[in-house]
Amino acid sequence: MNQPGRTTLRPADPQPINRHTMDTEPETNKRKPHGRTKWLTKVIVASLFLWLAVAYLAAPWAWELYIRRHPDLDDQPRITRTSDGHPGDPLNVELIGSEAQLQQIMKAADWYSAAALGLKSDLKIAADTVLSRPDDAAPVSSLYLFGRKEDLAFEQPVGDNPRHRHHVRLWKTDEVNPEGRPKWLGSAVYDKRVGLSHTTGQITHVTAADIDAERDYLFQCLEQTGQLAEHSIEPNFHQQHDGYNGGGDPWHTDGSLYIGVIRATEP
């Protein structure tokens, strides 16, 4: 019964609960981070494919076209070439002896034959680089002289990581010394780290600019074996004393070619 002067409030009718809304709103909120992750993944994958296309297809093609339009860049027989026409590393050493004698003196100097390029060796050096594991036979990229890639390649690891190492590539020439022993021209360069090529964006070793230091170090190792019969220097082998290699890394030299005659061994 209502009392005079009082107002009785009736409870409001209960509103039906929309269970569908309660269930779906949290799910929508949960989907948002997943959607952002999916979008970010697509961006990363697209960027990766774009980099691969530019670094390994477009840039090498553009440089090859540039070389064709500037044939004067090919008139550098004392500098190696990359497979797509970039100037490579300068020649700075010459060794005289048979291939067997060359293999023998390099082994005695604690320089190891580099493995051939291939999927297995490429994956191995990638894993060794990431995990900081030594690799005495890590492959070297191919450079070209006389229209062909190096005939022999040797390296000496530094520390426990193939990011940095001593290495030399050698090409057998058609010339022989008075005793009929072949002459090998080579390029000795030090890899100081792994990085991106300045010209193509490809993953590669970054080389030290002072190529004379690596030339001198190689001959120091060879002389310590006792198997080097003669050591001479040809000055002014290079008229150009500085430049950039195929990866865009700078180099400089005094222009001299170091020549070593391997001691003849008894048959």
Side-chain angles (χ1 to χ4, degrees):
M1 179 180 296
N2 294 336
Q3 298 294 328
R6 291 186 179 181
T7 302
T8 302
L9 298 177
R10 298 176 60 186
D13 295 334
Q15 296 295 323
I17 298 175
N18 190 338
R19 298 186 179 276
H20 177 72
T21 302
M22 293 179 64
D23 293 340
T24 57
E25 286 183 355
E27 290 180 2
T28 303
N29 292 335
K30 291 179 181 178
R31 288 196 194 103
K32 288 182 180 179
H34 176 71
R36 286 194 294 267
T37 302
K38 188 175 181 180
W39 175 83
L40 183 60
T41 301
K42 289 182 178 180
V43 171
I44 293 174
V45 171
S47 300
L48 178 61
F49 275 101
L50 178 61
W51 168 70
L52 289 172
V54 172
Y56 291 88
L57 294 175
W61 173 82
W63 184 262
E64 183 177 357
L65 182 62
Y66 181 79
I67 289 293
R68 290 178 182 175
R69 294 182 177 180
H70 299 78
D72 57 298
L73 293 179
D74 283 327
D75 190 21
Q76 298 182 32
R78 299 172 193 270
I79 296 179
T80 62
R81 290 281 166 185
T82 65
S83 60
D84 50 14
H86 291 69
D89 298 326
L91 301 172
N92 55 3
V93 298
E94 179 183 293
L95 295 174
I96 300 174
S98 67
E99 181 174 343
Q101 292 166 348
L102 191 55
Q103 294 277 5
Q104 184 178 13
I105 193 173
M106 295 302 289
K107 182 178 180 180
D110 292 328
W111 285 59
Y112 305 92
S113 295
L117 286 173
L119 180 60
K120 182 178 180 180
S121 59
D122 290 348
L123 292 176
K124 186 176 186 302
I125 189 175
D128 292 339
T129 299
V130 172
L131 300 175
S132 294
R133 297 185 307 204
D135 189 347
D136 294 341
V140 298
S141 59
S142 296
L143 290 179
Y144 292 80
L145 187 69
F146 311 129
R148 69 178 191 274
K149 67 179 183 179
E150 65 277 353
D151 298 306
L152 298 171
F154 299 92
E155 65 183 88
Q156 186 183 76
V158 177
D160 60 355
N161 197 305
R163 288 191 185 97
H164 31 83
R165 60 183 175 178
H166 304 281
H167 72 289
V168 60
R169 298 176 179 87
L170 294 162
W171 289 262
K172 187 177 182 180
T173 72
D174 294 331
E175 298 181 16
V176 295
N177 74 341
E179 288 77 33
R181 302 165 72 197
K183 296 182 178 181
W184 303 74
L185 277 173
S187 174
V189 179
Y190 181 73
D191 287 336
K192 62 180 183 179
R193 62 182 174 86
V194 172
L196 296 180
S197 167
H198 298 291
T199 53
T200 65
Q202 298 177 9
I203 298 174
T204 185
H205 275 95
V206 177
T207 57
D210 187 359
I211 63 172
D212 294 345
E214 187 70 355
R215 174 199 65 192
D216 298 350
Y217 176 75
L218 172 62
F219 268 74
Q220 178 185 346
C221 293
L222 297 178
E223 288 174 341
Q224 289 176 350
T225 66
Q227 298 181 29
L228 201 62
E230 299 177 26
H231 175 197
S232 59
I233 298 175
E234 180 181 336
N236 301 317
F237 178 77
H238 284 284
Q239 298 301 316
Q240 179 182 347
H241 288 186
D242 56 72
Y244 293 86
N245 67 7
D249 304 324
W251 58 264
H252 58 81
T253 176
D254 60 12
S256 296
L257 179 76
Y258 276 26
I259 304 171
V261 180
I262 303 173
R263 191 177 305 280
T265 55
E266 295 296 331

